[in-house]
Amino acid sequence: MFESLKSGWRLAKQVRKSISGNKKLYLYPVITGLISGIIFIATFALLILEVPVTAYSDYYYILGIFLAYVFTYFIATLLIIAMMISYRGYRSGNPVSMGQALSMSRQYSGKAFEWAILYSVLLMILRAIESRFRGIGGIIIASMGSFAITVATFFVVPSILDYKLGPIRAIEKSVETIKSHFGNTFGGVIYIDIYTLIFTGSGFIFLLLSVFLAGAGIPFAVILPIIIIAVLLIILGLILNFTYTNIFKLILFDYINGKGLPDGLDENLINSSIRRKGGTGGFGNMPF
């Protein structure tokens, strides 16, 4: 088990190195974050300023948040697809500009919007269930629900990209892929989380430090640079996590479907971290 996890972590390291040669990939999470922030800020501003305080106010807020989720995940899905198109172009030796990748992603708009609606519904249901429970029970339910959704939807976007599937069929394809090729494939994702946690964790430590210094009466002019560093570290960690995780999914999905590996990635690491159901490990029994 631990060897498989180590293989997954080493594989993710190679993925990180593979991505580092294509700096423009990091622009996609930046754009996603900016648009998402604008959508939610605008939504809450409109709800606060325009929705009257009545017996129906809660329903307006729920509807507003739901729509914000839908548009956020719609944009995010299209941008992830564009990022994957860009990476495939880069790895094949036929670079695709960001404008071209975004233009090519438009053909998936219908499927991306359907997926955004379904995913938003799932999240709203999860939030509603969480609100019914308090304390440790709520935390456990939230964690289990989030984990189940994450696993079931792991390969959804690559499935939409390759097969133009609707949301239900894309989830089925994702689950089918995981069930057919199980093993410690998530070792690489764990590694990515740990690596990016270095940045986000450091950012939160700096934020706590700034709070401590403020409580000690240190002038704000001294604390401000620490806050700026903290925010930048957190943003950097989120950008790296978004990029590495989604490209890692694409590489696994491509390999599982017989499309090979990018240069610089060790096939032995893939075979030792993913194994086919009913097989002896790796893809030796798979007819490509």
Side-chain angles (χ1 to χ4, degrees):
M1 175 180 176
F2 290 110
E3 278 304 313
S4 295
L5 285 173
K6 288 180 181 178
S7 296
W9 296 335
R10 289 196 293 268
L11 174 62
K13 282 186 179 181
Q14 293 181 358
V15 171
R16 177 164 56 88
K17 291 179 181 178
S18 174
I19 294 171
S20 65
N22 189 6
K23 304 298 184 185
K24 66 182 178 183
L25 291 176
Y26 299 114
L27 293 176
Y28 292 98
V30 173
I31 296 172
T32 302
L34 289 173
I35 293 176
S36 300
I38 291 170
I39 289 173
F40 275 95
I41 290 172
T43 299
F44 283 110
L46 286 172
L47 289 172
I48 292 171
L49 296 175
E50 300 296 332
V51 175
V53 179
T54 67
Y56 300 100
S57 297
D58 288 345
Y59 296 103
Y60 285 115
Y61 274 89
I62 292 171
L63 177 61
I65 293 171
F66 174 73
L67 292 175
Y69 272 140
V70 170
F71 286 110
T72 296
Y73 289 115
F74 169 64
I75 296 296
T77 302
L78 286 181
L79 285 166
I80 291 171
I81 288 174
M83 182 172 68
M84 290 178 172
I85 291 171
S86 182
Y87 179 76
R88 278 181 173 171
Y90 166 73
R91 86 172 218 191
S92 67
N94 298 304
V96 177
S97 70
M98 193 170 188
Q100 290 173 319
L102 291 170
S103 178
M104 293 168 69
S105 71
R106 290 177 190 166
Q107 63 184 295
Y108 301 94
S109 295
K111 301 302 181 185
F113 191 68
E114 291 173 6
W115 166 240
I117 292 174
L118 178 59
Y119 193 65
S120 299
V121 169
L122 291 175
L123 288 181
M124 294 295 283
I125 291 173
L126 181 60
R127 298 293 175 264
I129 294 173
E130 289 174 21
S131 67
R132 298 280 182 176
F133 297 88
R134 304 295 179 192
I136 296 177
I139 294 173
I140 293 173
I141 290 173
S143 300
M144 291 177 62
S146 296
F147 180 76
I149 292 174
T150 298
V151 172
T153 62
F154 195 77
F155 289 117
V156 161
V157 178
S159 297
I160 293 173
L161 172 61
D162 280 359
Y163 303 106
K164 292 187 178 180
L165 301 175
I168 301 297
R169 187 66 190 96
I171 292 176
E172 290 175 351
K173 179 67 176 176
S174 177
V175 173
E176 184 182 298
T177 301
I178 293 171
K179 287 174 67 177
S180 300
H181 309 90
F182 70 94
N184 294 299
T185 61
F186 292 94
V189 178
I190 292 170
Y191 166 79
I192 289 170
D193 286 339
I194 291 174
Y195 176 78
T196 56
L197 185 62
I198 294 172
F199 298 96
T200 53
S202 297
F204 282 112
I205 289 173
F206 276 110
L207 281 180
L208 290 174
L209 176 62
S210 64
V211 172
F212 174 78
L213 293 175
I218 303 299
F220 183 72
V222 176
I223 300 173
L224 181 59
I226 298 175
I227 295 175
I228 293 173
I229 292 172
V231 172
L232 290 176
L233 284 171
I234 292 170
I235 291 173
L236 178 59
L238 294 174
I239 289 171
L240 295 177
N241 187 272
F242 182 99
T243 307
Y244 296 157
T245 300
N246 284 295
I247 297 301
F248 185 75
K249 292 176 184 179
L250 178 67
I251 290 172
L252 289 180
F253 191 77
D254 282 352
Y255 184 69
I256 285 169
N257 287 284
K259 296 181 180 178
L261 290 171
D263 293 337
L265 267 74
D266 187 350
E267 186 172 1
N268 292 325
L269 289 180
I270 287 275
N271 286 332
S272 60
S273 59
I274 308 173
R275 57 193 176 91
R276 191 183 182 196
K277 186 176 182 180
T280 58
F283 289 90
N285 300 325
M286 177 173 283
F288 283 147

